[in-house]
């Protein structure tokens, strides 16, 4: 058995370690529920759905940014870190929402975006007005251009969203932006920047927030000593802690300071890093001296495949043991194609360079509906989710996955919002398809999302996925999630598992320390449990992602076996 939990943590105050095996439900606020009818979801909308979240059985919610923003990147362009976007509510609405969630035992995690601000942030506006050499420009990354009159950018680097990573301002200087040009990168060598984020973390912690999700946590610090390398040279520099832009060791000096702040609260505030780094570097972010937990995106990037899932689980439990943190498991979020859709697509061609998490070739081809097997994708998604929920560690769910929702591919160009669509000239259709407002009712304007329309168009097929339709159906995906989250409290015990060999390379089976078992059949032939296993009183099948009989696990299905009492 992999021993994961260090003794000192095991004995810690339960109030301080709630996050270790928590189910965290991600809310993308603009697309969750709209109370005021402006087409954008809002905080009062979330307040009206607190009962829904409680019935679903989640332990915490993580809210994507709800701060004032021009929405150049869906709110990840923050204009003021210590306020609520007026279209989404007020600070009083925030307090009311937190109080209602806490009253139902649900913790609240908010998103912090420290790599960049919005270009509308007062600091950036000040920097533009103050001109070259000013202290205001020092909070960002301004440089002179190259070539005649400095008309060429300082380097040929590309932004993550496509297009150049430098933008020229009126007086001729250039500023650096890893993402959209409306998201200028902050200069983390600047003490004022460091101080201000401590103020922000205190601001939300004092308002009762339980934890933080740290956006692109691996990119804050940079070494921009000149001469700067070219794009080509950059690709040859190893990402080993000293790369000029990515996953630098010195970023943890920032998090060590944040950790002191988190630990000054009772219970300590938690944090989870969004760090797209090599697996062996994840423990740095997840260590108790740093952020304490880090997303592991390995399952999200994998195909629906037993050997890959097994390897990923084994590796990540070992990594968690190394850092003293717990593992995190994710299949969907607001940046990737929903997993029901990913699993319903034909395998990508062997020579494909399109990332699987983006739905590979499918999205590049405009999301051709004819290639998608909706039923199969949904069945595999339920099986993968029950597998994930049976694992030790914390599970991050993305709004709408509990409805088995598919990606919306056919959004007209003029209604698209994601900067990746615009910055790649439409070559990537972007992430809007997983951000379409949720269907709550089978009819009515915006399927019950709000009293009026929705800010991204909802397709007609949303009706059959509506919460209302699924609540009435014991065999629905929503009913399955509710039952699974209820049973999970009994299933979760020590942060370990033992693999049970199945004799099949497309079937995974494991046992938790308290005797619960999870069996996932990734293949197309049923897996026979064997007559003795259940009859001997070893346990009873308490949950199945897709029906089946007591003695066998159907194709692409997960079952949970509870120990005999
Ligand atoms: C993170 C967010 C993504 C955003 C980017 C820039 O990856 O999850 O939505 O676009 O950071 O802030």
């Amino acid at each position: 058995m992999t021993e994961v939990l260090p003794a000192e943590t095991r004995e810690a105050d339960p109030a301080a370690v709630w996050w270790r095996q928590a189910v965290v439900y991600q809310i993308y606020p603009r697309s969750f529920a709209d109370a005021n009818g402006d087409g954008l979801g809002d905080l009062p909308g979330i307040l009206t759905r607190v009962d829904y979240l409680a019935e679903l059985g989640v332990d915490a919610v993580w809210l994507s940014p709800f701060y004032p923003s021009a929405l150049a990147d869906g709110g990840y362009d923050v204009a003021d870190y210590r306020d609520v976007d007026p279209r989404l509510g007020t600070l009083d609405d925030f307090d009311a929402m937190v109080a209602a969630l806490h009253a139902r035992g649900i913790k609240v995690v908010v998103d912090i975006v420290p790599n960049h601000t919005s270009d509308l942030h007062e600091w950036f506006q000040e920097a533009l007005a103050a001109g070259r050499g000013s202290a205001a420009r020092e909070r960002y990354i301004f440089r002179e251009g190259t070539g005649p009159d400095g008309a060429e950018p300082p380097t040929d680097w590309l932004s993550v969203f496509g297009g150049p990573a430098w933008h020229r301002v009126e007086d001729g200087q250039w500023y650096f932006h890893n993402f959209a040009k409306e998201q200028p990168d902050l200069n983390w060598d600047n003490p004022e920047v460091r101080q201000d984020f401590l103020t922000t973390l205190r601001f939300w912690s004092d308002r009762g927030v339980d934890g933080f999700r740290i956006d692109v946590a691996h990119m804050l610090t940079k070494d921009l000593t000149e001469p700067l390398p070219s794009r080509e040279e950059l690709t040859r520099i190893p990402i080993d802690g000293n790369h000029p832009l990515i996953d630098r060791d010195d970023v943890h000096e920032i998090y060590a300071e944040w950790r002191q702040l988190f630990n000054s609260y009772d219970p300590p505030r938690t944090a989870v890093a969004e760090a797209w780094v090599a697996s062996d570097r994840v423990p740095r972010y997840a260590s108790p001296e740093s952020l304490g937990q880090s997303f592991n995106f390995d399952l999200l990037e994998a195909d629906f495949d037993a050997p890959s899932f097994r390897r990923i689980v084994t590796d990540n439990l070992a990594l968690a043991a190394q850092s003293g943190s717990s593992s995190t498991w994710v299949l969907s979020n607001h940046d990737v194609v929903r997993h029901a859709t990913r699993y319903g697509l034909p395998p990508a061609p062997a020579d494909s360079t399109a990332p699987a998490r983006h739905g590979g070739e499918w999205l590049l081809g405009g999301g051709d509906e004819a290639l998608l097997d909706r039923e199969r994708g949904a069945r595999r998604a339920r099986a993968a989710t029950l597998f994930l929920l049976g694992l030790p560690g914390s599970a991050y769910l993305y709004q709408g996955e509990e409805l088995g929702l598919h990606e919306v591919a056919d959004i007209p160009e003029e209604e698209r919002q994601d900067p990746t669509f615009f910055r790649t000239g439409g070559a990537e259709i972007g992430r809007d398809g997983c951000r379409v407002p949720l269907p709550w009712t089978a009819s009515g304007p915006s399927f019950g999302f709000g009293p009026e329309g929705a800010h991204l168009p909802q397709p007609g097929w949303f009706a059959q996925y509506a919460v209302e339709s699924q609540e009435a159906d014991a065999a629905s995906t929503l009913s399955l999630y509710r039952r699974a989250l209820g049973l999970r409290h009994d299933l979760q015990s020590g942060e370990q598992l033992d693999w049970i060999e199945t004799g099949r390379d497309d079937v995974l089976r494991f046992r938790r320390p308290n005797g619960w078992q999870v069996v996932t059949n990734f293949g197309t032939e049923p897996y026979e449990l064997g007559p003795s296993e259940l009859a001997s009183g070893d346990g009873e099948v308490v949950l199945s992602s897709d029906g089946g009989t007591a003695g066998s696990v159907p194709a692409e299905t997960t079952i949970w076996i509870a120990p005999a009492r």
Side-chain angles (χ1 to χ4, degrees):
M1 242 183 217
T2 330
E3 177 58 42
V4 170
L5 200 56
E8 62 277 15
T9 321
R10 200 164 40 224
E11 285 149 21
D13 172 10
V17 293
W18 63 266
W19 51 274
R20 293 192 70 93
Q21 306 221 42
V23 173
V24 185
Y25 179 91
Q26 180 189 358
I27 293 182
Y28 192 74
R30 290 177 175 81
S31 301
F32 187 66
D34 174 21
N36 67 2
D38 65 356
L40 280 184
D42 43 39
L43 303 187
I46 298 173
L47 185 63
T48 66
R49 302 295 178 187
V50 169
D51 286 348
Y52 172 79
L53 296 164
E55 275 164 47
L56 184 56
V58 302
D59 301 305
V61 293
W62 145 36
L63 304 179
S64 278
F66 48 80
Y67 316 110
S69 169
L71 301 185
D73 180 22
Y76 284 89
D77 46 324
V78 179
D80 181 349
Y81 290 87
R82 301 193 280 271
D83 205 352
V84 174
D85 189 310
R87 290 166 295 181
L88 271 66
T90 61
L91 283 169
D92 286 343
D93 292 329
F94 181 84
D95 294 342
M97 178 197 70
V98 171
L101 287 163
H102 281 170
R104 304 299 298 263
I106 301 173
K107 311 273 189 213
V108 180
V109 172
V110 301
D111 216 312
I112 295 292
V113 188
N115 180 68
H116 43 266
T117 69
S118 156
D119 58 347
L120 298 180
H121 190 283
E122 63 172 2
W123 275 359
F124 194 74
Q125 290 299 312
E126 208 186 306
L128 290 182
R132 36 165 63 74
S134 60
R137 286 207 177 175
E138 271 304 301
R139 299 188 190 113
Y140 292 91
I141 301 169
F142 278 88
R143 288 284 185 281
E144 298 304 333
T146 54
D149 303 327
E152 295 299 318
T155 66
D156 60 352
W157 299 347
L158 296 180
S159 91
V160 173
F161 289 161
W166 297 93
H167 189 74
R168 197 172 198 198
V169 301
E170 246 172 44
D171 60 27
Q173 268 203 317
W174 297 74
Y175 68 86
F176 176 68
H177 57 92
N178 253 315
F179 296 90
K181 74 169 173 32
E182 295 84 0
Q183 295 167 295
D185 276 46
L186 285 164
N187 169 16
W188 274 90
D189 287 335
N190 185 301
E192 230 188 311
V193 169
R194 295 200 178 212
Q195 209 46 50
D196 197 67
F197 273 87
L198 293 174
T199 306
T200 294
L201 294 171
R202 241 180 250 117
F203 179 86
W204 295 108
S205 297
D206 290 345
R207 286 199 111 84
V209 155
D210 303 281
F212 299 93
R213 178 261 189 193
I214 311 303
D215 192 64
V216 289
H218 58 304
M219 286 172 124
L220 275 49
T221 54
K222 282 133 192 147
D223 176 6
L224 298 180
T225 315
E226 301 192 359
L228 296 172
S230 68
R231 186 199 320 169
E232 216 273 314
E233 285 162 346
L234 211 50
T235 60
R236 280 187 272 117
I237 304 178
I239 302 180
D240 62 358
N242 286 308
H243 187 277
L245 297 177
I246 303 168
D247 189 22
R248 294 177 53 75
D249 286 340
D250 55 14
V251 78
H252 297 288
E253 292 162 19
I254 299 172
Y255 300 141
E257 212 177 340
W258 290 14
R259 174 47 55 194
Q260 284 181 10
L261 183 151
F262 297 149
N263 288 353
S264 71
Y265 286 85
D266 182 20
R269 300 318 190 224
T270 68
V272 57
E274 187 220 14
W276 296 86
V277 299
S279 303
D280 63 334
R281 297 193 51 88
V282 167
R284 289 177 163 77
Y285 294 84
S287 90
E289 291 77 40
S290 186
L291 292 173
Q293 202 181 40
S294 182
F295 283 123
N296 135 39
F297 294 118
D298 296 349
L299 283 184
L300 172 155
E301 297 194 295
D303 289 333
F304 184 75
D305 170 65
S308 312
F309 270 51
R310 178 168 175 164
R311 184 182 31 78
I312 288 168
V313 169
T314 303
D315 290 354
N316 280 286
L317 290 179
L319 286 170
Q322 210 180 312
S323 66
S325 184
S326 62
S327 286
T328 56
W329 308 108
V330 193
L331 291 169
S332 281
N333 65 30
H334 67 295
D335 287 330
V336 301
V337 170
R338 287 184 176 280
H339 64 285
T341 301
R342 294 199 311 269
Y343 293 154
L345 295 172
D351 60 352
S352 170
T353 52
R357 66 173 185 269
H358 290 153
E361 309 288 319
W362 184 68
L363 278 190
L364 294 181
D368 185 354
E369 284 282 327
L371 293 176
L372 174 62
D373 183 340
R374 279 180 190 275
E375 276 306 303
R376 183 173 209 198
R379 183 170 66 243
R380 289 171 153 194
R382 284 192 295 272
T385 298
L386 277 204
F387 176 86
L388 170 145
L389 289 172
L391 293 170
S394 60
Y396 284 80
L397 309 179
Y398 176 53
Q399 70 177 39
E401 68 163 84
E402 77 279 20
L403 306 176
L405 217 55
H406 277 281
E407 190 81 2
V408 180
D410 54 353
I411 298 173
E413 255 184 67
E414 60 283 5
E415 302 212 44
R416 291 214 166 263
Q417 299 177 9
D418 187 355
T420 56
F421 174 75
F422 302 106
R423 293 186 61 90
T424 61
E428 285 186 35
I429 73 173
R431 302 163 295 177
D432 294 320
C434 63
R435 300 174 176 181
V436 176
L438 291 192
W440 294 91
T441 54
S443 58
S446 64
F447 297 108
F449 165 66
E452 302 288 337
H455 68 98
L456 280 167
Q458 299 160 300
W461 52 260
F462 258 35
Q464 72 206 72
Y465 291 83
V467 172
E468 174 188 61
S469 324
Q470 298 202 32
E471 271 181 331
D473 175 5
S476 68
T477 304
L478 178 59
S479 299
L480 177 71
Y481 269 71
R482 285 180 175 173
R483 278 206 306 282
L485 296 190
L487 288 169
R488 189 178 139 99
H489 293 289
D490 293 334
L491 174 148
Q492 287 297 349
S493 53
E495 294 179 23
Q496 299 115 318
L497 60 75
D498 265 335
W499 294 107
I500 301 172
E501 297 310 326
T502 62
R504 287 250 312 251
D505 60 9
D506 56 358
V507 178
L508 295 183
R509 180 168 188 173
F510 61 82
R511 184 188 286 111
R512 299 294 303 273
N514 55 3
W516 280 70
Q517 289 184 46
V518 174
V519 188
T520 302
N521 182 356
F522 290 78
T524 50
E525 294 302 317
Y527 168 69
E528 302 304 326
L529 285 168
S532 63
E533 292 172 283
L534 295 175
S536 68
D538 201 15
E540 124 187 56
V541 178
V542 289
L543 195 62
S544 164
S545 63
D546 251 301
T549 62
S552 85
V553 187
E556 303 182 327
T557 296
T558 295
I559 60 161
W560 284 6
I561 302 174
R565 286 175 215 289

